[in-house]
mmCIF file of all heavy atoms in Angstrom:
data_model
loop_
_atom_site.group_PDB
_atom_site.id
_atom_site.type_symbol
_atom_site.label_atom_id
_atom_site.label_comp_id
_atom_site.label_asym_id
_atom_site.label_seq_id
_atom_site.Cartn_x
_atom_site.Cartn_y
_atom_site.Cartn_z
ATOM 1 N N VAL A 1 77.295 93.607 89.581
ATOM 2 C CA VAL A 1 77.685 94.376 88.397
ATOM 3 C C VAL A 1 79.183 94.556 88.353
ATOM 4 O O VAL A 1 79.838 94.348 87.311
ATOM 5 C CB VAL A 1 76.994 95.740 88.397
ATOM 6 C CG1 VAL A 1 77.645 96.694 87.332
ATOM 7 C CG2 VAL A 1 75.503 95.603 88.055
ATOM 8 N N LEU A 2 79.793 94.909 89.483
ATOM 9 C CA LEU A 2 81.220 95.143 89.523
ATOM 10 C C LEU A 2 81.995 93.847 89.189
ATOM 11 O O LEU A 2 82.945 93.847 88.385
ATOM 12 C CB LEU A 2 81.629 95.616 90.914
ATOM 13 C CG LEU A 2 83.126 95.897 91.122
ATOM 14 C CD1 LEU A 2 83.649 96.961 90.161
ATOM 15 C CD2 LEU A 2 83.435 96.328 92.560
ATOM 16 N N VAL A 3 81.618 92.728 89.799
ATOM 17 C CA VAL A 3 82.262 91.451 89.558
ATOM 18 C C VAL A 3 82.133 91.040 88.089
ATOM 19 O O VAL A 3 83.102 90.602 87.431
ATOM 20 C CB VAL A 3 81.664 90.339 90.514
ATOM 21 C CG1 VAL A 3 82.246 88.981 90.094
ATOM 22 C CG2 VAL A 3 82.050 90.646 91.940
ATOM 23 N N MET A 4 80.937 91.188 87.527
ATOM 24 C CA MET A 4 80.705 90.782 86.110
ATOM 25 C C MET A 4 81.549 91.614 85.154
ATOM 26 O O MET A 4 82.165 91.081 84.264
ATOM 27 C CB MET A 4 79.232 90.920 85.767
ATOM 28 C CG MET A 4 78.371 89.855 86.434
ATOM 29 S SD MET A 4 76.615 90.068 86.044
ATOM 30 C CE MET A 4 76.641 89.856 84.236
ATOM 31 N N VAL A 5 81.542 92.939 85.390
ATOM 32 C CA VAL A 5 82.305 93.812 84.500
ATOM 33 C C VAL A 5 83.779 93.506 84.553
ATOM 34 O O VAL A 5 84.466 93.356 83.532
ATOM 35 C CB VAL A 5 82.031 95.302 84.813
ATOM 36 C CG1 VAL A 5 83.004 96.176 84.067
ATOM 37 C CG2 VAL A 5 80.635 95.668 84.445
ATOM 38 N N LEU A 6 84.334 93.384 85.762
ATOM 39 C CA LEU A 6 85.739 93.068 85.909
ATOM 40 C C LEU A 6 86.093 91.749 85.278
ATOM 41 O O LEU A 6 87.091 91.632 84.556
ATOM 42 C CB LEU A 6 86.137 93.056 87.386
ATOM 43 C CG LEU A 6 86.175 94.414 88.108
ATOM 44 C CD1 LEU A 6 86.483 94.238 89.603
ATOM 45 C CD2 LEU A 6 87.212 95.326 87.461
ATOM 46 N N TYR A 7 85.259 90.713 85.520
ATOM 47 C CA TYR A 7 85.556 89.374 84.952
ATOM 48 C C TYR A 7 85.506 89.417 83.439
ATOM 49 O O TYR A 7 86.424 88.944 82.752
ATOM 50 C CB TYR A 7 84.526 88.362 85.520
ATOM 51 C CG TYR A 7 84.679 87.013 84.831
ATOM 52 C CD1 TYR A 7 85.673 86.139 85.208
ATOM 53 C CD2 TYR A 7 83.781 86.623 83.818
ATOM 54 C CE1 TYR A 7 85.845 84.920 84.594
ATOM 55 C CE2 TYR A 7 83.937 85.413 83.155
ATOM 56 C CZ TYR A 7 84.992 84.553 83.581
ATOM 57 O OH TYR A 7 85.109 83.323 82.975
ATOM 58 N N LEU A 8 84.453 90.012 82.858
ATOM 59 C CA LEU A 8 84.287 89.998 81.413
ATOM 60 C C LEU A 8 85.408 90.782 80.729
ATOM 61 O O LEU A 8 85.946 90.379 79.672
ATOM 62 C CB LEU A 8 82.937 90.538 81.002
ATOM 63 C CG LEU A 8 81.708 89.640 81.383
ATOM 64 C CD1 LEU A 8 80.420 90.391 81.144
ATOM 65 C CD2 LEU A 8 81.770 88.381 80.603
ATOM 66 N N MET A 9 85.740 91.970 81.270
ATOM 67 C CA MET A 9 86.764 92.797 80.690
ATOM 68 C C MET A 9 88.139 92.134 80.791
ATOM 69 O O MET A 9 88.933 92.180 79.819
ATOM 70 C CB MET A 9 86.778 94.208 81.336
ATOM 71 C CG MET A 9 85.562 95.052 81.070
ATOM 72 S SD MET A 9 85.379 95.454 79.320
ATOM 73 C CE MET A 9 84.051 94.394 78.851
ATOM 74 N N MET A 10 88.458 91.602 81.927
ATOM 75 C CA MET A 10 89.750 90.918 82.094
ATOM 76 C C MET A 10 89.874 89.716 81.172
ATOM 77 O O MET A 10 90.895 89.440 80.543
ATOM 78 C CB MET A 10 89.966 90.462 83.561
ATOM 79 C CG MET A 10 90.009 91.598 84.536
ATOM 80 S SD MET A 10 91.309 92.808 84.196
ATOM 81 C CE MET A 10 90.855 94.076 85.306
ATOM 82 N N LYS A 11 88.747 88.975 81.042
ATOM 83 C CA LYS A 11 88.759 87.842 80.150
ATOM 84 C C LYS A 11 89.017 88.264 78.708
ATOM 85 O O LYS A 11 89.764 87.595 77.970
ATOM 86 C CB LYS A 11 87.411 87.079 80.243
ATOM 87 C CG LYS A 11 87.322 85.826 79.368
ATOM 88 C CD LYS A 11 85.999 85.132 79.581
ATOM 89 C CE LYS A 11 85.970 83.829 78.792
ATOM 90 N NZ LYS A 11 86.181 83.993 77.338
ATOM 91 N N MET A 12 88.404 89.353 78.285
ATOM 92 C CA MET A 12 88.558 89.872 76.933
ATOM 93 C C MET A 12 90.015 90.290 76.729
ATOM 94 O O MET A 12 90.618 90.035 75.659
ATOM 95 C CB MET A 12 87.619 91.024 76.679
ATOM 96 C CG MET A 12 87.638 91.450 75.216
ATOM 97 S SD MET A 12 86.535 92.819 74.889
ATOM 98 C CE MET A 12 87.435 94.150 75.628
ATOM 99 N N MET A 13 90.600 90.940 77.731
ATOM 100 C CA MET A 13 92.028 91.374 77.601
ATOM 101 C C MET A 13 92.928 90.146 77.475
ATOM 102 O O MET A 13 93.868 90.174 76.609
ATOM 103 C CB MET A 13 92.402 92.159 78.898
ATOM 104 C CG MET A 13 91.791 93.532 79.014
ATOM 105 S SD MET A 13 92.366 94.346 80.510
ATOM 106 C CE MET A 13 91.365 95.856 80.486
ATOM 107 N N VAL A 14 92.662 89.117 78.256
ATOM 108 C CA VAL A 14 93.524 87.935 78.147
ATOM 109 C C VAL A 14 93.365 87.251 76.793
ATOM 110 O O VAL A 14 94.321 86.784 76.191
ATOM 111 C CB VAL A 14 93.166 86.947 79.300
ATOM 112 C CG1 VAL A 14 93.888 85.625 79.104
ATOM 113 C CG2 VAL A 14 93.576 87.553 80.637
ATOM 114 N N ASP A 15 92.085 87.212 76.325
ATOM 115 C CA ASP A 15 91.864 86.591 75.002
ATOM 116 C C ASP A 15 92.606 87.320 73.872
ATOM 117 O O ASP A 15 93.201 86.728 73.012
ATOM 118 C CB ASP A 15 90.364 86.641 74.659
ATOM 119 C CG ASP A 15 89.572 85.603 75.521
ATOM 120 O OD1 ASP A 15 90.232 84.709 76.096
ATOM 121 O OD2 ASP A 15 88.343 85.736 75.575
ATOM 122 N N ARG A 16 92.609 88.676 73.964
ATOM 123 C CA ARG A 16 93.284 89.468 72.979
ATOM 124 C C ARG A 16 94.786 89.295 73.034
ATOM 125 O O ARG A 16 95.522 89.444 72.055
ATOM 126 C CB ARG A 16 92.935 90.984 73.124
ATOM 127 C CG ARG A 16 91.477 91.265 72.652
ATOM 128 C CD ARG A 16 91.094 92.643 73.122
ATOM 129 N NE ARG A 16 91.892 93.681 72.462
ATOM 130 C CZ ARG A 16 91.528 94.340 71.386
ATOM 131 N NH1 ARG A 16 90.425 94.035 70.788
ATOM 132 N NH2 ARG A 16 92.305 95.286 70.837
ATOM 133 N N ALA A 17 95.275 89.005 74.245
ATOM 134 C CA ALA A 17 96.726 88.892 74.442
ATOM 135 C C ALA A 17 97.200 87.436 74.434
ATOM 136 O O ALA A 17 98.324 87.123 74.840
ATOM 137 C CB ALA A 17 97.152 89.532 75.755
ATOM 138 N N SER A 18 96.330 86.512 73.996
ATOM 139 C CA SER A 18 96.617 85.076 74.095
ATOM 140 C C SER A 18 97.907 84.696 73.338
ATOM 141 O O SER A 18 98.693 83.860 73.797
ATOM 142 C CB SER A 18 95.447 84.254 73.626
ATOM 143 O OG SER A 18 95.120 84.572 72.275
ATOM 144 N N PHE A 19 98.087 85.309 72.159
ATOM 145 C CA PHE A 19 99.327 84.977 71.398
ATOM 146 C C PHE A 19 100.572 85.406 72.125
ATOM 147 O O PHE A 19 101.565 84.663 72.245
ATOM 148 C CB PHE A 19 99.244 85.652 70.020
ATOM 149 C CG PHE A 19 100.443 85.325 69.142
ATOM 150 C CD1 PHE A 19 100.553 84.096 68.523
ATOM 151 C CD2 PHE A 19 101.438 86.304 68.931
ATOM 152 C CE1 PHE A 19 101.639 83.813 67.747
ATOM 153 C CE2 PHE A 19 102.535 86.004 68.134
ATOM 154 C CZ PHE A 19 102.647 84.731 67.543
ATOM 155 N N GLY A 20 100.559 86.624 72.707
ATOM 156 C CA GLY A 20 101.673 87.132 73.448
ATOM 157 C C GLY A 20 101.941 86.324 74.713
ATOM 158 O O GLY A 20 103.110 86.013 75.071
ATOM 159 N N ILE A 21 100.871 85.892 75.356
ATOM 160 C CA ILE A 21 101.035 85.034 76.572
ATOM 161 C C ILE A 21 101.651 83.710 76.198
ATOM 162 O O ILE A 21 102.496 83.185 76.920
ATOM 163 C CB ILE A 21 99.646 84.850 77.250
ATOM 164 C CG1 ILE A 21 99.172 86.195 77.805
ATOM 165 C CG2 ILE A 21 99.706 83.784 78.342
ATOM 166 C CD1 ILE A 21 97.757 86.169 78.371
ATOM 167 N N SER A 22 101.249 83.156 75.074
ATOM 168 C CA SER A 22 101.821 81.865 74.595
ATOM 169 C C SER A 22 103.366 82.026 74.377
ATOM 170 O O SER A 22 104.152 81.152 74.762
ATOM 171 C CB SER A 22 101.139 81.395 73.301
ATOM 172 O OG SER A 22 99.773 81.205 73.512
ATOM 173 N N LEU A 23 103.727 83.171 73.768
ATOM 174 C CA LEU A 23 105.171 83.374 73.523
ATOM 175 C C LEU A 23 105.906 83.483 74.863
ATOM 176 O O LEU A 23 107.014 82.982 75.019
ATOM 177 C CB LEU A 23 105.363 84.619 72.698
ATOM 178 C CG LEU A 23 104.944 84.541 71.218
ATOM 179 C CD1 LEU A 23 105.196 85.873 70.534
ATOM 180 C CD2 LEU A 23 105.755 83.459 70.519
ATOM 181 N N MET A 24 105.290 84.205 75.813
ATOM 182 C CA MET A 24 105.912 84.404 77.132
ATOM 183 C C MET A 24 106.179 83.039 77.752
ATOM 184 O O MET A 24 107.240 82.782 78.344
ATOM 185 C CB MET A 24 105.018 85.222 78.000
ATOM 186 C CG MET A 24 104.947 86.697 77.696
ATOM 187 S SD MET A 24 106.469 87.536 78.176
ATOM 188 C CE MET A 24 106.026 89.238 77.833
ATOM 189 N N LYS A 25 105.235 82.120 77.646
ATOM 190 C CA LYS A 25 105.379 80.782 78.299
ATOM 191 C C LYS A 25 106.451 79.985 77.563
ATOM 192 O O LYS A 25 107.193 79.221 78.154
ATOM 193 C CB LYS A 25 104.068 80.073 78.286
ATOM 194 C CG LYS A 25 103.043 80.719 79.247
ATOM 195 C CD LYS A 25 101.948 79.743 79.616
ATOM 196 C CE LYS A 25 101.097 80.325 80.739
ATOM 197 N NZ LYS A 25 100.143 79.341 81.273
ATOM 198 N N ILE A 26 106.541 80.140 76.204
ATOM 199 C CA ILE A 26 107.559 79.471 75.457
ATOM 200 C C ILE A 26 108.948 79.941 75.888
ATOM 201 O O ILE A 26 109.922 79.146 75.967
ATOM 202 C CB ILE A 26 107.377 79.699 73.956
ATOM 203 C CG1 ILE A 26 106.151 78.978 73.463
ATOM 204 C CG2 ILE A 26 108.621 79.249 73.152
ATOM 205 C CD1 ILE A 26 105.722 79.259 72.030
ATOM 206 N N PHE A 27 109.027 81.236 76.222
ATOM 207 C CA PHE A 27 110.317 81.813 76.658
ATOM 208 C C PHE A 27 110.639 81.508 78.107
ATOM 209 O O PHE A 27 111.655 81.997 78.639
ATOM 210 C CB PHE A 27 110.354 83.332 76.427
ATOM 211 C CG PHE A 27 110.346 83.709 74.977
ATOM 212 C CD1 PHE A 27 109.660 84.835 74.525
ATOM 213 C CD2 PHE A 27 111.039 82.954 74.014
ATOM 214 C CE1 PHE A 27 109.655 85.178 73.204
ATOM 215 C CE2 PHE A 27 111.026 83.263 72.661
ATOM 216 C CZ PHE A 27 110.330 84.396 72.251
ATOM 217 N N GLY A 28 109.795 80.758 78.782
ATOM 218 C CA GLY A 28 110.098 80.304 80.150
ATOM 219 C C GLY A 28 109.452 81.102 81.239
ATOM 220 O O GLY A 28 109.767 80.840 82.434
ATOM 221 N N PHE A 29 108.589 82.026 80.985
ATOM 222 C CA PHE A 29 107.914 82.805 82.002
ATOM 223 C C PHE A 29 106.862 81.874 82.662
ATOM 224 O O PHE A 29 106.113 81.189 81.988
ATOM 225 C CB PHE A 29 107.202 84.025 81.463
ATOM 226 C CG PHE A 29 108.109 85.189 81.068
ATOM 227 C CD1 PHE A 29 108.811 85.126 79.852
ATOM 228 C CD2 PHE A 29 108.295 86.228 81.905
ATOM 229 C CE1 PHE A 29 109.641 86.163 79.507
ATOM 230 C CE2 PHE A 29 109.150 87.268 81.568
ATOM 231 C CZ PHE A 29 109.819 87.217 80.341
ATOM 232 N N ASN A 30 106.844 81.886 83.999
ATOM 233 C CA ASN A 30 105.843 81.028 84.703
ATOM 234 C C ASN A 30 104.523 81.807 84.865
ATOM 235 O O ASN A 30 104.440 82.995 84.510
ATOM 236 C CB ASN A 30 106.383 80.562 86.066
ATOM 237 C CG ASN A 30 106.767 81.745 86.967
ATOM 238 O OD1 ASN A 30 106.087 82.769 86.971
ATOM 239 N ND2 ASN A 30 107.814 81.548 87.755
ATOM 240 N N ASP A 31 103.546 81.147 85.380
ATOM 241 C CA ASP A 31 102.183 81.722 85.515
ATOM 242 C C ASP A 31 102.186 83.010 86.342
ATOM 243 O O ASP A 31 101.512 84.001 86.063
ATOM 244 C CB ASP A 31 101.190 80.726 86.121
ATOM 245 C CG ASP A 31 100.825 79.616 85.141
ATOM 246 O OD1 ASP A 31 101.168 79.764 83.952
ATOM 247 O OD2 ASP A 31 100.206 78.620 85.543
ATOM 248 N N ARG A 32 102.960 82.993 87.448
ATOM 249 C CA ARG A 32 102.981 84.168 88.316
ATOM 250 C C ARG A 32 103.585 85.376 87.574
ATOM 251 O O ARG A 32 103.069 86.485 87.676
ATOM 252 C CB ARG A 32 103.843 83.820 89.541
ATOM 253 C CG ARG A 32 103.922 84.962 90.547
ATOM 254 C CD ARG A 32 104.445 84.429 91.857
ATOM 255 N NE ARG A 32 104.619 85.524 92.818
ATOM 256 C CZ ARG A 32 105.762 86.028 93.169
ATOM 257 N NH1 ARG A 32 106.894 85.518 92.700
ATOM 258 N NH2 ARG A 32 105.855 87.041 94.033
ATOM 259 N N GLU A 33 104.608 85.145 86.781
ATOM 260 C CA GLU A 33 105.267 86.260 86.036
ATOM 261 C C GLU A 33 104.321 86.751 84.912
ATOM 262 O O GLU A 33 104.213 87.960 84.672
ATOM 263 C CB GLU A 33 106.587 85.792 85.461
ATOM 264 C CG GLU A 33 107.637 85.546 86.517
ATOM 265 C CD GLU A 33 108.866 84.790 85.981
ATOM 266 O OE1 GLU A 33 108.699 83.984 85.069
ATOM 267 O OE2 GLU A 33 109.958 85.075 86.482
ATOM 268 N N VAL A 34 103.621 85.824 84.268
ATOM 269 C CA VAL A 34 102.662 86.240 83.235
ATOM 270 C C VAL A 34 101.550 87.073 83.824
ATOM 271 O O VAL A 34 101.113 88.103 83.274
ATOM 272 C CB VAL A 34 102.133 85.014 82.485
ATOM 273 C CG1 VAL A 34 100.970 85.396 81.566
ATOM 274 C CG2 VAL A 34 103.238 84.352 81.670
ATOM 275 N N ARG A 35 101.064 86.603 84.990
ATOM 276 C CA ARG A 35 99.979 87.379 85.619
ATOM 277 C C ARG A 35 100.479 88.762 86.009
ATOM 278 O O ARG A 35 99.706 89.724 85.931
ATOM 279 C CB ARG A 35 99.498 86.582 86.850
ATOM 280 C CG ARG A 35 98.299 87.267 87.530
ATOM 281 C CD ARG A 35 97.723 86.423 88.667
ATOM 282 N NE ARG A 35 98.654 86.259 89.742
ATOM 283 C CZ ARG A 35 99.273 85.125 90.096
ATOM 284 N NH1 ARG A 35 99.022 84.032 89.441
ATOM 285 N NH2 ARG A 35 100.099 85.063 91.135
ATOM 286 N N ARG A 36 101.698 88.828 86.515
ATOM 287 C CA ARG A 36 102.220 90.136 86.915
ATOM 288 C C ARG A 36 102.302 91.065 85.719
ATOM 289 O O ARG A 36 102.064 92.288 85.864
ATOM 290 C CB ARG A 36 103.651 89.882 87.467
ATOM 291 C CG ARG A 36 104.292 91.131 88.112
ATOM 292 C CD ARG A 36 105.662 90.776 88.629
ATOM 293 N NE ARG A 36 106.372 91.968 89.074
ATOM 294 C CZ ARG A 36 107.679 92.063 89.188
ATOM 295 N NH1 ARG A 36 108.455 91.020 88.853
ATOM 296 N NH2 ARG A 36 108.242 93.182 89.606
ATOM 297 N N LEU A 37 102.615 90.555 84.539
ATOM 298 C CA LEU A 37 102.752 91.403 83.376
ATOM 299 C C LEU A 37 101.382 91.796 82.796
ATOM 300 O O LEU A 37 101.182 92.955 82.393
ATOM 301 C CB LEU A 37 103.573 90.694 82.298
ATOM 302 C CG LEU A 37 105.051 90.495 82.616
ATOM 303 C CD1 LEU A 37 105.705 89.616 81.554
ATOM 304 C CD2 LEU A 37 105.760 91.853 82.632
ATOM 305 N N TYR A 38 100.444 90.842 82.727
ATOM 306 C CA TYR A 38 99.223 91.106 81.969
ATOM 307 C C TYR A 38 98.026 91.499 82.846
ATOM 308 O O TYR A 38 97.092 92.123 82.344
ATOM 309 C CB TYR A 38 98.875 89.838 81.157
ATOM 310 C CG TYR A 38 99.670 89.709 79.898
ATOM 311 C CD1 TYR A 38 100.850 88.953 79.882
ATOM 312 C CD2 TYR A 38 99.308 90.320 78.735
ATOM 313 C CE1 TYR A 38 101.585 88.806 78.761
ATOM 314 C CE2 TYR A 38 100.050 90.204 77.601
ATOM 315 C CZ TYR A 38 101.209 89.464 77.576
ATOM 316 O OH TYR A 38 101.978 89.313 76.455
ATOM 317 N N LEU A 39 98.015 91.034 84.070
ATOM 318 C CA LEU A 39 96.854 91.297 84.935
ATOM 319 C C LEU A 39 97.051 92.240 86.087
ATOM 320 O O LEU A 39 96.235 93.074 86.391
ATOM 321 C CB LEU A 39 96.301 89.988 85.449
ATOM 322 C CG LEU A 39 95.629 89.013 84.473
ATOM 323 C CD1 LEU A 39 95.093 87.759 85.201
ATOM 324 C CD2 LEU A 39 94.519 89.717 83.749
ATOM 325 N N ASP A 40 98.239 92.148 86.721
ATOM 326 C CA ASP A 40 98.426 92.927 87.934
ATOM 327 C C ASP A 40 98.444 94.430 87.668
ATOM 328 O O ASP A 40 98.105 95.229 88.534
ATOM 329 C CB ASP A 40 99.773 92.531 88.590
ATOM 330 C CG ASP A 40 99.653 91.156 89.309
ATOM 331 O OD1 ASP A 40 98.581 90.574 89.182
ATOM 332 O OD2 ASP A 40 100.635 90.738 89.872
ATOM 333 N N GLY A 41 98.782 94.835 86.439
ATOM 334 C CA GLY A 41 98.767 96.218 86.103
ATOM 335 C C GLY A 41 97.340 96.845 86.142
ATOM 336 O O GLY A 41 97.183 98.023 86.399
ATOM 337 N N ASN A 42 96.353 95.984 86.002
ATOM 338 C CA ASN A 42 94.971 96.492 86.065
ATOM 339 C C ASN A 42 94.573 96.891 87.483
ATOM 340 O O ASN A 42 93.534 97.576 87.708
ATOM 341 C CB ASN A 42 93.992 95.404 85.560
ATOM 342 C CG ASN A 42 94.196 95.164 84.063
ATOM 343 O OD1 ASN A 42 93.939 96.033 83.249
ATOM 344 N ND2 ASN A 42 94.629 93.995 83.721
ATOM 345 N N PHE A 43 95.322 96.428 88.501
ATOM 346 C CA PHE A 43 95.040 96.843 89.868
ATOM 347 C C PHE A 43 95.083 98.386 89.942
ATOM 348 O O PHE A 43 94.237 98.985 90.622
ATOM 349 C CB PHE A 43 96.122 96.251 90.811
ATOM 350 C CG PHE A 43 96.109 96.896 92.182
ATOM 351 C CD1 PHE A 43 95.137 96.475 93.109
ATOM 352 C CD2 PHE A 43 97.006 97.889 92.531
ATOM 353 C CE1 PHE A 43 95.135 97.089 94.391
ATOM 354 C CE2 PHE A 43 96.968 98.469 93.766
ATOM 355 C CZ PHE A 43 96.037 98.054 94.715
ATOM 356 N N PHE A 44 96.018 99.017 89.277
ATOM 357 C CA PHE A 44 96.152 100.470 89.337
ATOM 358 C C PHE A 44 94.982 101.118 88.585
ATOM 359 O O PHE A 44 94.467 102.211 89.031
ATOM 360 C CB PHE A 44 97.487 100.907 88.762
ATOM 361 C CG PHE A 44 98.642 100.378 89.514
ATOM 362 C CD1 PHE A 44 99.367 99.275 88.988
ATOM 363 C CD2 PHE A 44 99.058 100.890 90.723
ATOM 364 C CE1 PHE A 44 100.455 98.741 89.652
ATOM 365 C CE2 PHE A 44 100.145 100.394 91.396
ATOM 366 C CZ PHE A 44 100.841 99.291 90.877
ATOM 367 N N THR A 45 94.511 100.510 87.518
ATOM 368 C CA THR A 45 93.315 101.039 86.816
ATOM 369 C C THR A 45 92.118 101.000 87.748
ATOM 370 O O THR A 45 91.377 102.029 87.861
ATOM 371 C CB THR A 45 93.033 100.209 85.565
ATOM 372 O OG1 THR A 45 94.149 100.190 84.732
ATOM 373 C CG2 THR A 45 91.811 100.726 84.805
ATOM 374 N N VAL A 46 91.932 99.897 88.436
ATOM 375 C CA VAL A 46 90.789 99.762 89.351
ATOM 376 C C VAL A 46 90.948 100.742 90.520
ATOM 377 O O VAL A 46 89.946 101.395 90.921
ATOM 378 C CB VAL A 46 90.684 98.300 89.831
ATOM 379 C CG1 VAL A 46 89.572 98.179 90.897
ATOM 380 C CG2 VAL A 46 90.378 97.394 88.689
#
C-alpha cells in the first residue's frame, strides 16, 4: 500500500508539473537538479 500510494502520487505530481520541468530542462537544469526541486522536497512530507 505504501509503495503504491507513494508511486501514484509522485507520478501525478510530476505529470502536473511536466510543463515546468520541460522549461527547467530548456534552461539547462540537469536531471539531478530537477529531481532536487520537484521530488526531493517530498522527503520532508514523508
Side-chain angles (χ1 to χ4, degrees):
V1 166
L2 180 61
V3 171
M4 287 179 62
V5 169
L6 288 177
Y7 174 78
L8 292 172
M9 291 297 105
M10 297 301 169
K11 183 178 183 302
M12 189 180 75
M13 290 180 185
V14 171
D15 288 345
R16 288 168 65 94
S18 58
F19 182 74
I21 292 172
S22 300
L23 290 179
M24 287 285 186
K25 291 200 171 189
I26 290 172
F27 293 144
F29 287 81
N30 58 37
D31 287 349
R32 183 165 175 252
E33 291 168 327
V34 170
R35 185 174 67 248
R36 187 181 175 202
L37 291 171
Y38 283 93
L39 289 182
D40 288 1
N42 293 296
F43 167 81
F44 299 102
T45 302
V46 174

